[in-house]
Amino acid sequence: MSDIARIIEKAREMPVMSYSAMRLLEVLGDENHSLTDVAKIVETDAALTVEVLRLVNSAAFNLRYKVDTVAKALPYTGEKFITGIALKTCAPHIFNRPLSGYESKKGEMWGHSLRTAIAAGELAPRAKEPIPSGLAFTAGILHDIGKPVLSKFMGDKAGDLLHDIDEGMVDDFFEAELKAFGTTHCEVGGELARHWKLPEHLHLPIEHHHKPSEAPEAYRCLVYLIHLADMIAMMGGTGTGVDTMAYQIDERYADYLELDRSGLDSLMIAVAIDFDKMQSAVFGEREAEE
């Protein structure tokens, strides 16, 4: 079996997400959904309900009284926060493990995914085509799901990949992966998305976020949005190891997004504030306990 076949086979062996997580992804992709729809899904999952209530009652939210139902928690947390927690809780094999091949520590994959998702949600109103912020957030969370799979095959080759970039043999880490393995974390992520039976509007941003011009035109606006959100997350200091800031930005994002330099600066500040709050809620108390 070739290296490519073994990598793709590994992606197809990854455990599927829980039913509640899958339903949340479907609901956030529907612009006509309500907070009640989100609450109903979370309430059917006992573990997720416990986690949501633990977080909303944490010091990060600093509420004056205890919240005892998901429906009461949602106005404080927002649906994007709930979706992020659902994905982290229901897919720890993706988001909560170190990526040794990328020399990335435990928690860095989640941090980068979360910051990208927040940036994507902030960018959605600036898109030149209608894109629900919930859909943008979800696509941002999922964009790098191929990395935990490819990481298992990288071994200690990360330095070699960086050397190829430094020597001008390839343009960026995407092309370095392709040269070394015949595939990339984007392609592997797309395969994993199909294995999970995610809708097309989610697996295309995963598959094309480093080469957005290659996405089908009907989805290109969303893909460029995730492409830029990914770069914003890295510029904000949150990456996934040795490949951080080792990618090229496609300046054609300006054809799909209304964003000038001052708008980018203010957006990065807003992303940093939301990211710090969510990180504090998710990790603050737990890290203190450890």
Side-chain angles (χ1 to χ4, degrees):
M1 184 181 291
S2 68
D3 286 345
I4 299 175
R6 289 191 300 113
I7 293 168
I8 297 301
E9 185 63 26
K10 178 61 69 173
R12 292 170 179 165
E13 292 173 359
M14 295 292 279
V16 298
M17 289 187 290
S18 70
Y19 174 76
S20 56
M22 295 296 290
R23 283 288 297 128
L24 278 172
L25 295 183
E26 292 176 11
V27 165
L28 260 71
D30 179 3
E31 58 184 323
N32 297 317
H33 73 274
S34 66
L35 287 181
T36 301
D37 297 327
V38 175
K40 286 179 179 178
I41 295 170
V42 174
E43 288 168 347
T44 63
D45 189 313
L48 186 51
T49 296
V50 169
E51 185 69 358
V52 167
L53 294 180
R54 183 188 74 81
L55 293 173
V56 78
N57 288 306
S58 71
F61 285 90
N62 196 29
L63 301 182
R64 295 181 179 179
Y65 58 91
K66 292 291 183 181
V67 173
D68 55 9
T69 69
V70 172
K72 292 179 181 177
L74 272 168
Y76 295 105
T77 63
E79 61 184 22
K80 298 184 188 71
F81 182 91
I82 298 298
T83 303
I85 295 306
L87 293 178
K88 180 176 182 294
T89 302
C90 299
H93 52 289
I94 294 291
F95 294 109
N96 204 32
R97 289 185 179 176
L99 305 181
S100 57
Y102 290 88
E103 300 179 10
S104 177
K105 298 176 183 177
K106 178 180 178 180
E108 288 184 339
M109 168 73 176
W110 167 249
H112 175 69
S113 300
L114 178 61
R115 196 173 198 129
T116 301
I118 294 170
E122 291 286 338
L123 283 169
R126 301 170 186 266
K128 294 183 180 181
E129 298 175 11
I131 295 179
S133 62
L135 169 60
F137 183 93
T138 303
I141 281 277
L142 296 171
H143 78 287
D144 268 347
I145 59 174
K147 283 187 174 180
V149 179
L150 190 57
S151 175
K152 298 178 185 295
F153 294 86
M154 289 182 69
D156 58 358
K157 293 181 180 179
D160 295 335
L161 271 62
L162 290 176
H163 176 266
D164 286 351
I165 299 171
D166 292 339
E167 293 298 313
M169 299 169 66
V170 293
D171 288 334
D172 61 10
F173 210 88
F174 175 93
E175 292 188 2
E177 288 179 350
L178 189 60
K179 178 176 178 287
F181 305 106
T183 188
T184 67
H185 70 273
C186 303
E187 184 179 3
V188 174
E191 192 63 36
L192 179 54
R194 282 185 282 274
H195 169 60
W196 283 351
K197 295 182 170 56
L198 297 180
E200 191 174 29
H201 59 253
L202 286 175
H203 75 65
L204 285 172
I206 295 168
E207 195 163 3
H208 296 289
H209 66 273
H210 284 304
K211 296 292 181 182
S213 64
E214 297 179 4
E217 181 60 42
Y219 298 93
R220 205 166 289 171
C221 186
L222 174 61
V223 177
Y224 266 101
L225 186 153
I226 299 304
H227 171 72
L228 184 58
D230 182 28
M231 299 301 293
I232 288 172
M234 287 189 279
M235 287 189 288
T238 309
T240 54
V242 296
D243 68 327
T244 301
M245 295 306 298
Y247 298 96
Q248 293 193 341
I249 189 166
D250 187 335
E251 299 289 351
R252 284 169 289 185
Y253 73 80
D255 295 338
Y256 299 90
L257 298 162
E258 298 281 0
L259 189 69
D260 57 18
R261 181 66 211 188
S262 63
L264 176 60
D265 290 342
S266 61
L267 185 143
M268 289 189 69
I269 293 171
V271 169
I273 292 171
D274 283 352
F275 176 73
D276 288 345
K277 180 176 181 179
M278 292 182 76
Q279 280 283 80
S280 175
V282 174
F283 291 115
E285 290 186 349
R286 186 159 291 170
E287 286 181 349
E289 291 169 2
E290 294 174 353

